[in-house]
Amino acid sequence: MKKIVVVGNGMVGYKFCEKLRDADKGEKYEVSVYGEEPWPAYDRVHLSSYFSGMGAKDLMMAPLEWYYQNKIQLHTKELIVKIDRENRKVFSHLGNEESYDFLILATGSGAFVPSIPGVEKRGVFVYRTLEDLDAMKAYGKHVKSAAVLGGGLLGLEAAKAVLDMGLKTHVVEFAPRLMPRQLDESGSALLKSKMEDLGISVHLSKNTQNIEGNGKLTGMSFADGSFLDVDMLVISAGIKPRDELAKDCGLPVAQRGGIVVNENLQTSEPNIYAIGEAASYNNMVYGLVAPGYEMATQVVNQLMGKEGKPFQGFDMSTKLKLIGVEVGSFGDPFGETESCKPIVYENKSSGIYKRINISQDGKRLIGGVLVGDTSAYNMMLQMVQNNMPLPPEPEDLILGSRGGDKPAGLGIANLPDTAQICSCENISKADLCGAIQDGQYDIASLKSCTKAGTGCGGCLPLMGDLLKHQLQAMGQKVKNVLCEHFDYSRQELLDIVKIKGIRTYDQLLDEFGNGDGCETCKPAVASILASTWNELITKQDTIQDTNDRFLANIQKGGTYSVVPRIPGGEITPEKLIVIGQVAKKYDLYTKITGGQRIDMFGARVEDLPDIWEELINAGFESGHAYGKSLRTVKSCVGSVWCRYGVQDAVSFAIEVEERYRGLRSPHKLKGAVSGCIRECAEAQSKDFGIIATEKGWNLYVCGNGGSKPQHAILLANDIDSETCLKYIDRFLMFYIKTAEPLNRTATWLNKMEGGIDYLRDVVVNDCLGIGDELEREMEFMVETYACEWKEVVNNPELRAKFRHFVNVEEKDQSVDFRPMRGQKVPVEWAVKA
């Protein structure tokens, strides 16, 4: 058996091991992997998620057990420092040595740090590894502002991380525009505007001369004489290939860095390969994950004696989401191809910029830039890569067809079989169609079978289109079913439940399903039953997820949070005192939420009914923070206190919240009422938002914040309170009856044929003639509302279910806390290397 040593355990090194073990289960090659970091390979593409709640374990490409199961000897925290080419050995910094038959250099890259005086000062960081991120998080707790040096892809990712840390964020870029390698001037200007709307200060054309401070960063001075007062600096100005190991052993390296390789990814020594960001092919280093994966695949093919294809470069088209802004760049984005012509669409009010570059004869797409809306990116990229003909009116690509028909020649059916659908895994249309023909009839099984969509995920929409098209071409019935246990959609199941009078999951499964159910259909049916009959969800607790089962959100460490309802955000001093007393009695961490409520964290499951009882006795009720239901209706003080208010926002918000409290729906619901157009309650970011006018109220619908923010859209204007409630009744019940599971109202609207115009016809104009029915159904929900906490408190049988161990009264002794700013928080979860 021959031995392969892999130096570097990043994403590309891991992918090499995965591909190798898919082809060889350990019968032909013995594999050892050396990584200098304490963790197994992790996902650097999504590093910024580390600052928004994702842990190190969540970023792992595979657990440690995977290496063991696949007969791979993984050495963490061990750096290879020397290669002996003559004797085919490598040496680590610990003094260990290992021989090899084939050596794979997947050493990746490090952060490029410009030679600016002061980079060694305290408060200056690079953005590259988990250790870098931990250092940033620790330092960031003690500062108020941070700058990111670099306005490219990596720099803007770092800016997202800094923003998530709650720091005043600056981006400093040497070039005159952001993302200069991907975006043209207009696209970059729009991106800059969107970033500034988020509170990020952008400084362009800045040549940093010095990092100021006496041992500790205090600011940055620039060549133009200006100065930026800042507490922390993150350098993310590019990458530098880790080629020092190759250079020391005499392997050629490129002038601009990188280990020189041929089209077979071989160095000057045929049994030593270089892949990923460490490799330089034709003086080009590829800093994206997809080309690294392709390199790994081709090296595995060679080692296994399979027919491969020479590596001859890679398309560097990019689609990603930067700080909530969709950005895409493909082909020739700047129109540098001779005689090509640009077509541009720009809508500054909606934050969308689209540019396509077409050939002189108008027959081929050359490239383009997309900012704000990248929905057409995948198909446009396919048109460039496969030299597909343009539609008769090329502007249809960015404007949509104005005649109602899809432009001829477009669509998944017209892609050639060789079209690359997933660039990360180099999966073609033919590969996916073959898997579908072999019985992979859903996205999950397609991903498992082919690995397509398991990288960056950008190809998933195209995979979905291809799956639907191929199933139809095969004569298969394409139906939107809930899961394998129910051959019905959510909408159909809701009708079945209502018409047949079904009250339990077991009854529905017995009469209209098969098998024992799963984690997909159980909570979905639980939601349907609650939305239809409005009965206490704890009566069928085994089909609920953990949060609904215990009427509280489970938190890090295994304890729960308690959030009583505070309608409209209005609360008396007496109720505030009660919350303080309860929190103190049960030693709970307290925080004011963004929805104008008070959250109490750290409650043990066995204490929940006792806590609820004390709150209920003081006049509180469940805030449903745990459920797919109405959370809050936020308000400003309105005309009662504010000099600018034109309507009583608080009173109306309380009326609205108390009307829809407890309403179960496909996803959570949030509302708001603003007393004037200054919009202090942020109503246009809610599922339904109400803004006061001199004549009454404007009603907005289908907005949301979160990871994919979307502005709500005006449904009706200058309506009175009674009409406003009627329209909300209809809107919410129509959403409950027609939305897919776990679709927010924004997603529901985006999928709706006819969009807001159709929704307005249904809700306002009653074009379907169901307005009265929707209102009656909502009235039933209002009349049958009951506080879930109160039902548990008053029912000994239900109350007895709230315990950590089912057979003993003991408490969970593993729950542990640490002090922070006078309160307690859970201890950090340790990550074992």
Side-chain angles (χ1 to χ4, degrees), residues 15-248:
K15 184 58 64 175
F16 170 82
C17 294
E18 181 188 78
K19 296 285 186 183
L20 182 67
R21 280 302 180 241
D22 285 344
D24 169 49
K25 303 302 182 183
E27 299 162 357
K28 187 174 182 179
Y29 290 110
E30 179 184 348
V31 181
S32 288
V33 180
Y34 288 84
E36 62 190 275
E37 294 190 63
W39 301 276
Y42 56 87
D43 184 357
R44 295 186 195 274
V45 173
H46 297 99
L47 269 186
S48 61
S49 302
Y50 197 60
F51 292 88
S52 54
M54 187 176 285
K57 191 174 181 180
D58 302 312
L59 289 169
M60 297 300 163
M61 304 289 289
L64 282 170
E65 292 77 16
W66 180 87
Y67 295 87
Y68 174 77
Q69 292 165 359
N70 285 277
K71 302 177 183 178
I72 296 172
Q73 183 66 45
L74 174 63
H75 305 266
T76 58
K77 297 189 285 188
E78 192 162 2
L79 175 67
I80 297 297
V81 294
K82 180 183 176 182
I83 300 172
D84 181 349
R85 293 165 55 190
E86 183 177 352
N87 295 301
R88 294 190 176 184
K89 289 184 177 181
V90 293
F91 300 83
S92 79
H93 80 292
L94 298 177
N96 298 321
E97 63 179 73
E98 187 160 4
S99 60
Y100 63 83
D101 294 295
F102 295 97
L103 181 62
I104 312 297
L105 298 179
T107 47
S109 63
F112 169 70
V113 179
S115 55
I116 302 170
V119 291
E120 75 288 349
K121 287 185 169 62
R122 194 155 53 94
V124 180
F125 301 88
V126 294
Y127 184 81
R128 195 66 187 159
T129 68
L130 284 176
E131 288 179 316
D132 296 331
L133 271 54
D134 283 334
M136 286 171 56
K137 290 175 74 172
Y139 196 84
K141 294 176 182 178
H142 308 288
V143 301
K144 296 181 178 179
S145 63
V148 175
L149 185 61
L153 288 174
L154 294 173
L156 298 187
E157 280 290 326
K160 170 67 164 62
V162 170
L163 194 65
D164 286 340
M165 290 169 66
L167 304 178
K168 169 59 184 171
T169 306
H170 301 264
V171 172
V172 177
E173 168 58 38
F174 178 79
R177 66 177 190 266
L178 294 172
M179 294 183 65
R181 294 186 178 182
Q182 290 84 21
L183 300 184
D184 61 9
E185 188 173 340
S186 297
S188 179
L190 183 59
L191 177 61
K192 176 177 179 287
S193 175
K194 282 178 167 283
M195 291 178 63
E196 289 172 339
D197 288 343
L198 294 170
I200 298 173
S201 298
V202 180
H203 311 266
L204 301 175
S205 300
K206 291 294 184 182
N207 184 0
T208 306
Q209 292 291 291
N210 198 55
I211 297 172
E212 306 291 347
N214 183 18
K216 174 183 175 183
L217 165 75
T218 56
M220 305 166 66
S221 57
F222 305 109
D224 60 8
S226 59
F227 179 82
L228 178 61
D229 188 357
V230 70
D231 305 322
M232 177 176 165
L233 174 63
V234 180
I235 297 177
S236 189
I239 60 173
K240 181 181 180 182
R242 293 284 300 274
D243 57 12
E244 61 273 14
L245 193 60
K247 187 185 299 182
D248 289 345

Side-chain angles (χ1 to χ4, degrees), residues 634-674:
K634 193 175 178 179
S635 73
C636 66
V637 295
S639 59
V640 174
W641 287 97
C642 180
R643 292 175 296 131
Y644 303 105
V646 294
Q647 302 288 351
D648 184 356
V650 178
S651 295
F652 196 35
I654 292 173
E655 181 181 358
V656 172
E657 184 163 348
E658 290 184 340
R659 180 171 182 80
Y660 303 118
R661 60 190 171 183
L663 179 67
R664 294 281 168 166
S665 55
H667 211 302
K668 63 185 175 185
L669 295 167
K670 295 183 179 182
V673 181
S674 286

